[in-house]
Amino acid sequence: MAGRGTKKIENPGKKQALADFKVGVDNVIFSVDNEQNRLLVLLVMRDDEPFSGQWCLPGTLVRKGESLEDAAYRILAEKIKVKNLYLEQLYSFGGPGRDPREAPDSFGVRYLSVSYFAIVRFGEAELIADGVSGIAWYPIQQIPQLAFDHNKILEYGYRRLRNKLEYSPVAFDVLPEVFTLNDLYQFYTTILGENFSDYSNFRSRLLKLGFLSDTGVKVSRGAGRPASLYRFDAEAFAPLKDKPLVFI
Amino acid sequence: MAGRGTKKIENPGKKQALADFKVGVDNVIFSVDNEQNRLLVLLVMRDDEPFSGQWCLPGTLVRKGESLEDAAYRILAEKIKVKNLYLEQLYSFGGPGRDPREAPDSFGVRYLSVSYFAIVRFGEAELIADGVSGIAWYPIQQIPQLAFDHNKILEYGYRRLRNKLEYSPVAFDVLPEVFTLNDLYQFYTTILGENFSDYSNFRSRLLKLGFLSDTGVKVSRGAGRPASLYRFDAEAFAPLKDKPLVFI
DNA sequence: GCAAAAGTGTTTGATGTACACCCATGC
DNA sequence: GCATGGGTGTACATCAAACACTTTTGC
């Protein structure tokens, strides 16, 4: 347990020396490419040491007077233009030695990472290339080796995403205003994998919940019968907010 | 957004000044008094400023070389003697201004709290009174006004506890080695409230899952038919580990 | 015997699963 | 017409809710 007992007592009679921290915020930003049915994660290329030239999650260090969530939004705003998104805190990773900058010659400052999980609407998400560092959407199956412990953070975020999808209406924060039931189904399928549920059962379950309203507008995509466009009805959903929903 | 733009640039041409943090760990420690069927939370009395003389969650500041989780275990070990427990990270609260010590005369250091959620076996949990500060189990319905934002943290932990109970076998980390099905039922009832489920249905659901093994030993408590003592069978549970269980 | 607690079973309605099938469109 | 995707309906198994009933103990 962290070398207790063997450590020099720095404040004799009082507590042991406290660690000094910088706090970073790292975002796991997901998006669903509904053309190609791929789940994407936003990565940026580091251009400072350590890990210069390696991909990592977009992150930043928290500034004076800035809340954790503000910092999370700030990174997002620096990297992509987006109107609709869902964001929540994920987990805090703070063991000693997780950042090489913690070397003794940097005054023993520790780096703690508070990670956030976000999902953004793909269609309107516009990457901001600052001309210096790389930035790209990576399909979840093709994530390279990332800097720091970011693979672990990403793994954690991916698990949260899949859980979230099952009992919460995040999908509607991130789908277009209107969508066909098949769009919705594809969305779930690309995240949860094939055969998470039969389409027709998915359909009737969702419709029975009563917060999808048929706009009456039909849309045709190539061959086949045109599909109805639906809209998420926030008011009809409100009473279900705290109930244990199942979208499966 | 945290006064951006109006703030003095302290490193002209580079980023704005970073915040310096001390990181605290605060534990929401639950236990279930199976005699009186009460859900308890461990509180300690602060004897330093700020908030001296007020109750708060047991917490500590993270020391050099110590991981977050180590710090969480350290507080636990300082406050109670306990062998069986469940512990997991809860959430990080880190907005500016959540700690009065952040006053400008203390060099602008921020205090971030990483909260942990724990549940311990009541029978063997022995409070350690250090003779200085108060320490006590408080029934969840009688929580007083706490220091800092600890009421919020506790509220968050309480919600997590109730959710956790529904799909995860935490109960068995915290019940005695052997227990009657009624003990188990009481445990759920004191946390989730009366009528979360009919006893006989609860019974058959749990038994059908197949990881409770009847020891054959009977125990009689006053009048009535003696009850069988059961044991949690970790091996039989293993294959169900990642399945979405429902203990309700 | 009787009260009290443990444990079993049964009935009923709701829900999930796996399909089969009909409908509207492009070509 | 027919392939294609959209949409509806049905049969079956499973499961939850409510409650009646039997068993085994203390007194």
Side-chain angles (χ1 to χ4, degrees):
Chain A
M1 264 241 215
R4 227 188 306 164
T6 66
K7 176 168 273 185
K8 200 177 101 206
I9 308 290
E10 304 182 45
N11 295 321
K14 282 211 78 184
K15 300 261 171 68
Q16 290 189 23
L18 302 179
D20 290 305
F21 284 88
K22 298 289 184 190
V23 174
V25 168
D26 292 304
N27 285 359
V28 185
I29 305 173
F30 291 106
S31 200
V32 172
D33 173 357
N34 27 356
E35 307 277 301
Q36 297 192 61
N37 289 334
R38 295 189 308 174
L39 175 60
L40 304 170
V41 181
L42 189 65
L43 298 181
V44 299
M45 175 78 82
R46 281 189 66 80
D47 42 25
D48 294 322
E49 289 300 336
F51 296 107
S52 183
Q54 270 196 51
W55 292 98
C56 69
L57 298 174
T60 188
L61 290 169
V62 177
R63 297 175 180 171
K64 295 193 176 194
E66 186 180 49
S67 77
L68 299 175
E69 199 169 302
D70 283 349
Y73 277 114
R74 178 163 55 82
I75 314 168
L76 250 156
E78 279 175 10
K79 301 299 178 187
I80 51 182
K81 278 206 183 83
V82 72
K83 281 198 287 279
N84 291 276
L85 67 93
Y86 174 85
L87 184 122
E88 74 173 32
Q89 191 186 298
L90 201 51
Y91 200 82
S92 294
F93 298 87
R98 60 169 295 280
D99 191 314
R101 286 171 292 184
E102 285 173 22
D105 61 335
S106 59
F107 305 101
V109 172
R110 293 258 297 270
Y111 286 85
L112 181 142
S113 162
V114 180
S115 53
Y116 277 78
F117 152 83
I119 176 160
V120 304
R121 197 176 283 187
F122 186 69
E124 65 187 22
E126 201 180 309
L127 298 191
I128 300 173
D130 59 5
V132 180
S133 50
I135 179 169
W137 289 113
Y138 263 81
I140 190 82
Q141 291 88 356
Q142 295 164 33
I143 302 295
Q145 169 98 34
L146 303 178
F148 307 106
D149 49 0
H150 285 191
N151 284 97
K152 199 167 81 180
I153 299 179
L154 173 52
E155 178 54 39
Y156 195 89
Y158 185 31
R159 212 180 319 149
R160 178 85 128 248
L161 171 64
R162 283 172 302 187
N163 285 332
K164 204 85 199 168
L165 220 55
E166 291 184 7
Y167 61 85
S168 122
V170 267
F172 308 107
D173 287 328
V174 145
L175 281 171
E177 267 313 304
V178 293
F179 48 86
T180 70
L181 288 177
N182 200 40
D183 291 340
L184 184 59
Y185 182 67
Q186 291 305 328
F187 183 87
Y188 275 81
T189 305
T190 60
I191 296 180
L192 298 177
E194 214 58 56
N195 57 29
F196 75 95
S197 168
D198 181 284
Y199 171 62
S200 94
N201 293 328
F202 175 81
R203 215 189 130 73
S204 36
R205 190 166 352 102
L206 271 264
L207 287 178
K208 196 159 46 174
L209 289 173
F211 51 74
L212 294 183
S213 58
D214 191 336
T215 62
V217 182
K218 306 281 183 189
V219 59
S220 187
R221 296 179 182 158
R225 174 174 177 176
S228 262
L229 287 175
Y230 286 81
R231 178 192 309 283
F232 176 69
D233 180 347
E235 283 181 39
F237 179 74
L240 304 172
K241 203 157 195 158
D242 299 310
K243 303 254 181 292
L245 270 195
V246 181
F247 299 79
I248 288 203
Chain B
M1 266 241 215
R4 228 188 306 166
T6 64
K7 175 165 277 188
K8 200 175 101 208
I9 308 289
E10 305 183 43
N11 295 321
K14 282 210 77 184
K15 301 261 169 69
Q16 289 190 25
L18 303 179
D20 290 305
F21 284 88
K22 298 290 184 190
V23 174
V25 168
D26 293 304
N27 286 359
V28 186
I29 305 172
F30 291 105
S31 200
V32 172
D33 175 356
N34 26 358
E35 309 276 303
Q36 298 192 60
N37 290 335
R38 295 188 308 176
L39 175 61
L40 304 171
V41 182
L42 189 65
L43 297 182
V44 298
M45 174 79 81
R46 281 189 65 81
D47 42 26
D48 294 321
E49 289 300 333
F51 295 108
S52 183
Q54 269 197 52
W55 291 97
C56 69
L57 298 173
T60 188
L61 291 169
V62 177
R63 298 175 180 172
K64 296 196 175 188
E66 185 181 50
S67 76
L68 299 175
E69 199 169 301
D70 283 350
Y73 277 114
R74 177 162 56 83
I75 314 169
L76 250 155
E78 279 174 11
K79 301 300 178 187
I80 50 182
K81 279 206 182 82
V82 73
K83 281 196 288 280
N84 291 277
L85 66 93
Y86 175 85
L87 183 124
E88 74 172 34
Q89 191 185 299
L90 202 51
Y91 200 81
S92 295
F93 298 86
R98 60 169 294 281
D99 192 314
R101 287 171 292 185
E102 284 173 24
D105 61 335
S106 60
F107 306 100
V109 173
R110 293 257 297 269
Y111 286 84
L112 181 141
S113 162
V114 181
S115 52
Y116 277 78
F117 151 83
I119 175 160
V120 304
R121 196 175 285 184
F122 186 68
E124 64 187 21
E126 202 180 307
L127 298 191
I128 299 172
D130 59 4
V132 180
S133 49
I135 178 169
W137 288 114
Y138 263 81
I140 191 82
Q141 291 87 357
Q142 297 164 33
I143 302 295
Q145 169 98 34
L146 304 178
F148 307 106
D149 49 0
H150 286 191
N151 284 96
K152 199 167 82 180
I153 298 179
L154 173 52
E155 178 54 41
Y156 195 88
Y158 185 32
R159 212 180 318 148
R160 179 87 129 246
L161 171 63
R162 282 171 304 188
N163 285 332
K164 205 84 199 170
L165 220 54
E166 289 183 9
Y167 62 86
S168 124
V170 266
F172 308 106
D173 287 328
V174 146
L175 282 171
E177 268 313 302
V178 293
F179 47 86
T180 70
L181 288 177
N182 200 42
D183 290 341
L184 184 59
Y185 181 66
Q186 291 306 328
F187 183 89
Y188 274 81
T189 305
T190 60
I191 296 180
L192 298 177
E194 214 58 55
N195 56 28
F196 74 96
S197 168
D198 179 283
Y199 171 62
S200 97
N201 293 326
F202 175 81
R203 213 189 133 73
S204 35
R205 188 165 353 100
L206 271 263
L207 286 179
K208 197 158 47 177
L209 290 173
F211 52 73
L212 294 182
S213 57
D214 191 335
T215 62
V217 183
K218 305 281 182 187
V219 60
S220 185
R221 296 178 182 158
R225 176 175 175 172
S228 264
L229 287 174
Y230 286 80
R231 178 192 310 282
F232 177 69
D233 181 348
E235 283 181 39
F237 178 74
L240 306 172
K241 203 156 192 157
D242 300 310
K243 306 253 181 296
L245 271 195
V246 181
F247 298 78
I248 286 200

Coordinates of all heavy atoms in Angstrom, one line a residue, chain B residues 105-134:
Chain B
D105 N -6.2 33.6 -0.5 CA -5.0 33.7 0.4 C -4.3 32.4 0.5 O -3.3 32.3 1.1 CB -5.4 34.3 1.7 CG -6.3 33.5 2.5 OD1 -7.1 32.7 1.8 OD2 -6.4 33.5 3.7
S106 N -5.0 31.3 0.0 CA -4.3 30.0 0.1 C -3.7 29.6 -1.2 O -3.8 28.5 -1.7 CB -5.2 28.9 0.6 OG -6.3 28.8 -0.2
F107 N -3.2 30.6 -1.9 CA -2.5 30.4 -3.2 C -3.4 29.8 -4.3 O -2.9 29.1 -5.2 CB -1.3 29.4 -3.0 CG -0.4 29.9 -2.0 CD1 -0.4 29.4 -0.7 CD2 0.5 31.0 -2.3 CE1 0.5 29.9 0.3 CE2 1.4 31.5 -1.3 CZ 1.4 30.9 0.0
G108 N -4.7 29.9 -4.1 CA -5.6 29.5 -5.2 C -5.7 28.0 -5.4 O -6.0 27.5 -6.5
V109 N -5.3 27.2 -4.4 CA -5.4 25.8 -4.6 C -6.8 25.3 -4.6 O -7.6 25.8 -3.8 CB -4.6 25.1 -3.5 CG1 -4.8 23.6 -3.5 CG2 -3.1 25.4 -3.5
R110 N -7.1 24.4 -5.5 CA -8.5 23.9 -5.6 C -8.6 22.6 -4.9 O -7.6 21.8 -4.8 CB -8.9 23.7 -7.1 CG -9.0 24.9 -7.9 CD -10.4 25.3 -8.2 NE -11.2 24.3 -8.9 CZ -11.3 24.3 -10.2 NH1 -10.7 25.2 -10.9 NH2 -12.0 23.3 -10.8
Y111 N -9.8 22.2 -4.4 CA -10.0 20.9 -3.8 C -11.0 20.1 -4.6 O -12.1 20.5 -4.8 CB -10.5 21.1 -2.4 CG -9.4 21.6 -1.4 CD1 -9.1 22.9 -1.3 CD2 -8.7 20.7 -0.7 CE1 -8.1 23.4 -0.5 CE2 -7.6 21.1 0.1 CZ -7.3 22.4 0.2 OH -6.3 22.8 1.0
L112 N -10.5 19.0 -5.1 CA -11.3 18.1 -5.9 C -11.6 16.9 -5.0 O -10.7 16.4 -4.3 CB -10.6 17.7 -7.1 CG -11.3 16.8 -8.1 CD1 -11.0 17.2 -9.5 CD2 -10.9 15.3 -7.9
S113 N -12.8 16.5 -5.0 CA -13.2 15.3 -4.2 C -13.6 14.1 -5.1 O -14.5 14.2 -5.9 CB -14.4 15.6 -3.3 OG -15.0 14.4 -2.8
V114 N -12.8 13.1 -5.0 CA -13.2 11.8 -5.6 C -13.9 11.0 -4.6 O -13.3 10.6 -3.6 CB -12.0 11.1 -6.2 CG1 -12.4 9.8 -6.9 CG2 -11.2 11.9 -7.1
S115 N -15.2 10.7 -4.9 CA -15.9 10.0 -3.8 C -16.0 8.5 -4.1 O -16.0 8.1 -5.3 CB -17.3 10.5 -3.7 OG -18.0 10.6 -5.0
Y116 N -15.9 7.7 -3.1 CA -16.0 6.3 -3.2 C -17.3 5.8 -2.4 O -17.7 6.5 -1.5 CB -14.8 5.6 -2.6 CG -13.7 5.5 -3.6 CD1 -12.9 6.7 -3.9 CD2 -13.4 4.4 -4.3 CE1 -11.9 6.6 -4.9 CE2 -12.4 4.3 -5.3 CZ -11.7 5.4 -5.5 OH -10.7 5.4 -6.5
F117 N -17.8 4.7 -2.9 CA -19.0 4.1 -2.3 C -18.6 2.8 -1.7 O -17.9 2.0 -2.4 CB -19.9 4.0 -3.4 CG -20.9 2.9 -3.3 CD1 -22.1 3.1 -2.6 CD2 -20.8 1.7 -4.0 CE1 -23.0 2.1 -2.5 CE2 -21.7 0.7 -3.9 CZ -22.8 0.9 -3.2
A118 N -18.9 2.6 -0.4 CA -18.6 1.3 0.2 C -19.7 0.7 0.9 O -20.6 1.5 1.4 CB -17.4 1.4 1.1
I119 N -19.7 -0.6 1.1 CA -20.7 -1.2 1.9 C -20.0 -2.3 2.7 O -19.2 -3.1 2.1 CB -22.0 -1.7 1.1 CG1 -22.9 -2.4 2.0 CG2 -21.6 -2.5 -0.1 CD1 -24.3 -2.5 1.5
V120 N -20.2 -2.3 4.0 CA -19.5 -3.2 4.9 C -20.4 -4.1 5.7 O -21.6 -3.8 5.9 CB -18.6 -2.4 5.9 CG1 -17.6 -1.5 5.1 CG2 -19.4 -1.6 6.8
R121 N -19.9 -5.2 6.1 CA -20.6 -6.2 6.9 C -20.8 -5.6 8.3 O -19.8 -5.2 9.0 CB -19.8 -7.5 7.0 CG -20.7 -8.6 7.4 CD -19.9 -9.9 7.3 NE -19.7 -10.4 6.0 CZ -19.1 -11.6 5.7 NH1 -18.6 -12.3 6.7 NH2 -19.0 -12.0 4.4
F122 N -22.1 -5.5 8.7 CA -22.3 -4.7 9.9 C -21.8 -5.5 11.2 O -21.2 -4.9 12.1 CB -23.8 -4.5 10.1 CG -24.2 -3.6 11.2 CD1 -23.8 -2.3 11.3 CD2 -24.9 -4.1 12.3 CE1 -24.1 -1.5 12.3 CE2 -25.2 -3.3 13.4 CZ -24.8 -2.0 13.4
G123 N -22.1 -6.7 11.2 CA -21.7 -7.5 12.5 C -20.3 -7.3 12.9 O -20.0 -7.1 14.1
E124 N -19.4 -7.3 11.9 CA -18.0 -7.3 12.3 C -17.3 -5.9 12.2 O -16.2 -5.8 12.5 CB -17.2 -8.3 11.4 CG -17.2 -7.8 10.0 CD -16.6 -8.9 9.0 OE1 -16.5 -10.0 9.4 OE2 -16.2 -8.5 7.9
A125 N -18.1 -5.0 11.8 CA -17.6 -3.6 11.6 C -17.5 -3.0 13.0 O -18.5 -2.8 13.7 CB -18.5 -2.8 10.7
E126 N -16.3 -2.6 13.3 CA -16.0 -2.1 14.7 C -15.5 -0.7 14.5 O -14.5 -0.4 13.9 CB -15.0 -3.0 15.3 CG -14.9 -2.9 16.8 CD -13.8 -3.9 17.3 OE1 -13.8 -5.1 16.9 OE2 -13.0 -3.4 18.0
L127 N -16.3 0.3 15.0 CA -15.8 1.7 14.9 C -14.6 2.0 15.7 O -14.4 1.5 16.8 CB -16.9 2.6 15.3 CG -18.2 2.6 14.5 CD1 -19.2 3.7 14.9 CD2 -18.0 2.6 13.0
I128 N -13.7 2.7 15.1 CA -12.4 3.1 15.8 C -12.6 4.5 16.3 O -12.5 5.5 15.5 CB -11.2 3.0 14.9 CG1 -11.1 1.5 14.4 CG2 -10.0 3.4 15.6 CD1 -10.0 1.4 13.3
A129 N -12.8 4.7 17.6 CA -12.9 6.0 18.2 C -11.5 6.4 18.5 O -10.8 5.8 19.3 CB -13.8 6.0 19.4
D130 N -11.0 7.5 17.9 CA -9.6 7.9 18.2 C -9.6 8.9 19.4 O -8.6 9.4 19.7 CB -9.0 8.6 17.0 CG -9.8 9.8 16.5 OD1 -10.8 10.2 17.2 OD2 -9.4 10.4 15.5
G131 N -10.7 9.0 20.1 CA -10.7 9.8 21.3 C -10.8 11.3 21.0 O -11.0 12.1 21.9
V132 N -10.6 11.7 19.7 CA -10.7 13.1 19.4 C -12.0 13.5 18.7 O -12.8 14.2 19.2 CB -9.5 13.5 18.5 CG1 -9.5 15.0 18.2 CG2 -8.2 13.1 19.2
S133 N -12.1 12.9 17.5 CA -13.3 13.3 16.8 C -14.4 12.2 16.9 O -14.2 11.1 17.1 CB -12.9 13.4 15.3 OG -12.2 12.3 14.9
G134 N -15.6 12.7 16.8 CA -16.8 11.9 16.9 C -16.9 11.0 15.6 O -16.4 11.3 14.6

